[in-house]
Amino acid sequence: MPVHRPGTARRGPLAAAGILLSALALLLTAPGTAEAAHTPARGTATMGMGVAAHDGVGGPPGATLAVQTEGVDTSSHNGNVAWSTLWNSGVKWAYVKATEGTYYTNPYFAQQYNGSYNVGMIRGAYHFATPDTTSGATQADYFVDHGGGWSQDGRTLPGALDIEWNPYGAACYGLSQSEMVSWIADFTDEYRARTGRDAVIYTATSWWTQCTGNSAAFGSTDPLWIARYNTDPGTLPAGWGYYTMWQYTSSGPTVGDHSRFNGAYDRLQALANG
């Protein structure tokens, strides 16, 4: 007959299963394991993917005193976009992701960039910045060489720099605030040298404050595209007295990311014309 020793317990099938589950839980909560499991693949970053998580979601947007013009932004996540549907719904401009870092180009870029243009929209391209991989100037060159240039045809907007939370690691990409300001300046200086236009800067106030120290260095040159999913765009980053565009939602019709240009259609044309 088996002898049961005091202080020990018989482990049946349920107890053994519990031990296995506990071990698995410890493994999954080990440092770095959860982060690695939720880190997206390089190239999959899109405008505003960190906005809701870091700034929250409110809304819907309130009434505005000025006339505004509806727009959208797209990436490979949207696939082949139904541009005629968007046009008929009142969307008059679009930005299309062209590049990320120096390692990614949007495989749907041609359909999205040319498709928006062909239905009558004013269109532009954007670059998702990864300041931890290569220099700002190097990424600006990659962007211009892969669809991010500008042409004075009256229908092409200046390229946009999407600079926001790092979806692959530390929010500020491992850069100090002064290093981040220098990186952005390196990008915008090179973009200006290549195209003759000042790049649009897309960002969120909370990220800009955290990662640039709320730098006012770009407010007099680069149009601001502010990201905030709430009833209004909120406090703007230092240096900008007004926003040029406001991305107000990531759950709009047809294409999730919808924005408003801060002016009537003729002012949008003026931005395209430089």
Side-chain angles (χ1 to χ4, degrees):
M1 175 182 292
V3 177
H4 173 59
R5 295 182 177 86
T8 65
R10 295 183 177 88
R11 294 189 175 95
L14 290 176
I19 293 170
L20 289 173
L21 288 172
S22 298
L24 179 60
L26 287 172
L27 176 62
L28 291 175
T29 55
T33 304
E35 289 82 354
H38 293 90
T39 300
R42 287 275 179 179
T44 60
T46 60
M47 271 190 170
M49 64 185 304
V51 173
H54 292 87
D55 278 357
V57 177
T64 56
L65 297 177
V67 175
Q68 298 193 327
T69 308
E70 190 78 4
V72 296
D73 63 86
T74 66
S75 68
S76 63
H77 293 279
N78 302 110
N80 291 320
V81 174
W83 290 111
S84 59
T85 300
L86 285 165
W87 175 262
N88 292 333
S89 72
V91 174
K92 300 304 177 188
W93 59 275
Y95 266 95
V96 176
K97 181 178 180 180
T99 51
E100 177 178 321
T102 53
Y103 50 79
Y104 175 84
T105 58
N106 175 8
Y108 290 92
F109 181 77
Q111 192 277 343
Q112 296 175 356
Y113 193 67
N114 297 329
S116 56
Y117 185 91
N118 290 338
V119 298
M121 292 186 191
I122 297 177
R123 51 78 193 273
Y126 81 84
H127 173 79
F128 192 93
T130 56
D132 57 340
T133 59
T134 47
S135 71
T138 299
Q139 292 192 30
D141 285 332
Y142 186 80
F143 178 44
V144 172
D145 293 341
H146 294 85
W150 175 75
S151 58
Q152 196 170 9
D153 59 4
R155 298 268 306 280
T156 302
L157 295 162
L161 173 65
D162 179 358
I163 186 80
E164 56 173 296
W165 293 276
N166 178 10
Y168 313 118
C172 302
Y173 300 85
L175 274 61
S176 68
Q177 293 175 340
S178 61
E179 289 171 339
M180 183 63 75
V181 172
S182 295
W183 192 96
I184 296 169
D186 198 34
F187 183 99
T188 55
D189 288 348
E190 182 66 9
Y191 189 81
R192 186 183 307 112
R194 289 287 306 273
T195 66
R197 294 300 306 272
D198 291 304
V200 173
I201 292 179
Y202 169 97
T203 195
T205 299
S206 59
W207 182 91
W208 190 263
T209 301
Q210 177 186 355
C211 296
T212 74
N214 205 21
S215 171
F218 305 94
S220 63
T221 52
D222 300 272
L224 172 65
W225 189 353
I226 192 68
R228 187 170 189 254
Y229 304 158
N230 216 309
T231 54
D232 58 62
T235 302
L236 302 181
W240 283 285
Y242 59 90
Y243 64 89
T244 298
M245 301 161 187
W246 166 32
Q247 187 190 60
Y248 66 87
T249 185
S250 62
S251 56
T254 308
V255 166
D257 290 355
H258 278 244
S259 296
R260 292 176 177 173
F261 176 81
N262 194 13
Y265 187 76
D266 65 329
R267 302 316 305 157
L268 182 66
Q269 291 175 307
L271 178 61
N273 283 318

